[in-house]
Amino acid sequence: MDEVVRVGAAELERFASRVLEGLGTPADLAAVVAGSLVGADLAGHGSHGVRRLEPYAAFVRSGQIVADARASVETADGATAVVDGHYGFGQPAARRAVDVAAERAAEHGTAIVAIRRCNHVGRLGEYVEDLARRGLVASAFCHADATVAPFGGRGRRLGTNPMAWAAPAGDGAPPLVLDWATSASAEGKLAVARARGEQVPPDVLVDAAGAPSTDPQDFYDGGALLPFGGHKGYALSLMIDVVGGLLTGAGAASLPGYDGTNGTVLVAHDVTRFTPLARFTEQVEALREELHATPPAPGSDGVLLSGEPEEAARRHHLAHGVDVPAGTWTALNDLVPHTAGEQR
């Protein structure tokens, strides 16, 4: 296992902002992206954390990401809206969409916001969690570039195509947050495993010849991820590719014309249009207590609810810092702009 470098959250966020500003990102947008990346690391999802700075830098240099682009509301009609990311960083576009969704749900009861020309949005659960903290039940999904083999096939045709869902909870309790890729693993988790010199579980990927593999390097040598749950994960991924890709105009990931972005859709519902919010959150907490009281299965530490592992990881990392693989940390430091005579 590779050595790690432990970095405090505030220092890591300043570091990420510095890298992003060095790429030409305005300070306010850099702060949004850095906060999102470090937030993923704090939640225990290093696949969407600061390690993303390296590919982001490559995307800026290739022109895929326009570092100083600002998202705008392209259309707004009743409960629907479209946010245009103008090929900038995905996180500021998604944050703009969150605000639009909350505003339109407050007015109409339900809101659907599509984000077009939007690069990698980071951890999708971040956005539905924010909406849940505002008293909304929220869901989201986005499609991505083709890295996943469809059920019954071996070539890359679909993206990891994540989905997320969140509901508000009682005062002081974290929202219920579901956030997962429709592939057996997020691509970033393969990169983290490779950086740490670790294998991945069976049934996550196949190599270029279609043979099952536990070596993450096989993915980068032309292999493919597998959908989770066989045909069920594949079917979900397909629908996210269709709706996330085609509804936003990004295009299906494996067809000509796909623009390489994350076609993202947010949906938000105002709980108070259906039932009093206090009654709703009381029932969520009652359900939490009931599930926590379930006798644990053999070998288990007990039942957790969606979002609780991330909340526990967040508290731990805020107190003790974030572990970044040493090789990743070295590569990231090479991205930091340095003035003449300054020590690296």
Side-chain angles (χ1 to χ4, degrees):
M1 183 172 178
D2 196 6
E3 295 182 357
V4 298
V5 177
R6 182 163 293 179
V7 188
E11 179 186 350
L12 196 58
E13 198 162 331
R14 287 192 297 270
F15 172 86
S17 288
R18 186 177 180 191
V19 170
L20 291 160
E21 289 180 42
L23 294 170
T25 312
D28 59 327
L29 299 182
V32 171
V33 179
S36 176
L37 296 177
V38 175
D41 279 318
L42 291 175
H45 295 289
S47 57
H48 289 66
V50 295
R51 63 159 295 273
R52 290 279 176 177
L53 289 169
E54 197 171 5
Y56 285 2
F59 289 146
V60 169
R61 291 165 184 154
S62 71
Q64 172 68 29
I65 294 178
V66 180
D68 59 353
R70 294 182 181 274
S72 63
V73 179
E74 181 178 296
T75 62
D77 181 16
T80 68
V82 175
V83 170
D84 189 339
H86 299 289
Y87 294 110
F89 284 102
Q91 290 89 342
R95 295 243 54 92
R96 184 71 183 274
V98 165
D99 291 339
V100 172
E103 292 164 2
R104 303 201 84 72
E107 182 177 354
H108 300 284
T110 290
I112 302 176
V113 181
I115 315 173
R116 62 188 298 267
R117 301 201 299 177
C118 171
N119 282 296
H120 187 253
V121 298
R123 180 174 164 259
L124 200 58
E126 169 187 342
Y127 309 110
V128 293
E129 181 175 354
D130 187 334
L131 287 164
R133 292 187 185 279
R134 304 187 196 196
L136 302 164
V137 171
S139 57
F141 49 87
C142 73
H143 91 322
D145 57 302
T147 55
V148 180
F151 181 71
R154 71 180 189 188
R156 299 184 180 192
R157 293 295 184 273
L158 296 168
T160 54
N161 296 0
M163 59 184 295
W165 206 352
D171 289 343
L176 303 183
V177 182
L178 173 159
D179 178 8
W180 64 44
T182 52
S183 54
S185 170
E187 178 278 324
K189 293 187 185 299
L190 298 185
V192 170
R194 182 175 64 166
R196 292 176 174 172
E198 299 172 348
Q199 299 288 290
V200 298
D203 302 320
V204 166
L205 64 92
V206 292
D207 64 19
S213 174
T214 59
D215 183 353
Q217 183 60 43
D218 282 338
F219 171 80
Y220 299 98
D221 289 338
L225 285 162
L226 295 172
F228 86 88
H231 66 283
K232 295 180 180 180
Y234 158 59
L236 275 173
S237 182
L238 171 63
M239 292 306 297
I240 292 172
D241 198 50
V242 169
V243 178
L246 304 186
L247 198 64
T248 62
S254 61
L255 292 183
Y258 170 52
D259 69 1
T261 63
N262 279 176
T264 304
V265 177
L266 297 178
V267 183
H269 309 286
D270 182 353
V271 171
T272 64
R273 300 297 183 102
F274 305 94
T275 187
L277 181 60
R279 173 65 176 164
F280 181 90
T281 57
E282 285 171 6
Q283 290 292 293
V284 168
E285 292 311 305
L287 181 59
R288 188 192 303 272
E289 292 179 9
E290 183 69 18
L291 292 172
H292 281 170
T294 306
S300 167
D301 293 329
V303 174
L304 294 174
L305 275 67
S306 300
E308 290 181 342
E310 288 79 5
E311 190 66 21
R314 190 175 293 116
R315 290 194 298 269
H316 173 82
H317 290 129
L318 282 172
H320 302 288
V322 173
D323 288 343
V324 182
T328 300
W329 187 244
T330 297
L332 294 180
N333 270 275
D334 288 339
L335 300 175
V336 178
H338 298 277
T339 58
E342 184 180 357
Q343 295 291 320
R344 283 186 179 268

